[in-house]
Amino acid sequence: MTVDDWYQQRRKQGIVSAPQRVPGGANDEELQKQQRETEEEEEDEEALQKARDWDDWKDTHPRGYGNRQNMG
């Protein structure tokens, strides 16, 4: 018995309502492509926020700011 046969039996019994699969895996490729796009968008947003935070920190902390006690 294949997985598709099992799902067909369950659908006939009214237990499971599984989505129909597209033969050839075209649907899987599209889903993976959409997931990659959303991940890239999230990474872009995170990188932009990190760059903004770093720029703000540089504005408030001039070069050479920090441990100035051990200079001699």
Side-chain angles (χ1 to χ4, degrees):
M1 175 183 289
T2 65
V3 174
D4 291 330
D5 294 337
W6 183 82
Y7 274 115
Q8 286 176 359
Q9 286 180 354
R10 295 297 177 174
R11 271 189 235 119
K12 288 177 185 175
Q13 295 173 356
I15 297 172
V16 176
S17 61
Q20 296 289 333
R21 294 189 347 180
V22 177
N27 194 18
D28 292 338
E29 292 175 7
E30 292 174 6
L31 288 174
Q32 290 176 354
K33 186 176 181 181
Q34 289 175 351
Q35 289 175 348
R36 275 189 248 124
E37 289 175 359
T38 56
E39 288 174 359
E40 289 174 0
E41 289 174 0
E42 290 174 359
E43 289 174 359
D44 290 342
E45 291 173 6
E46 290 174 4
L48 181 61
Q49 185 62 40
K50 187 175 180 180
R52 286 181 179 165
D53 291 341
W54 178 246
D55 191 41
D56 291 341
W57 188 88
K58 289 192 319 185
D59 288 342
T60 58
H61 298 83
R63 182 178 168 106
Y65 174 84
N67 187 4
R68 311 270 294 163
Q69 299 296 323
N70 293 327
M71 296 189 65

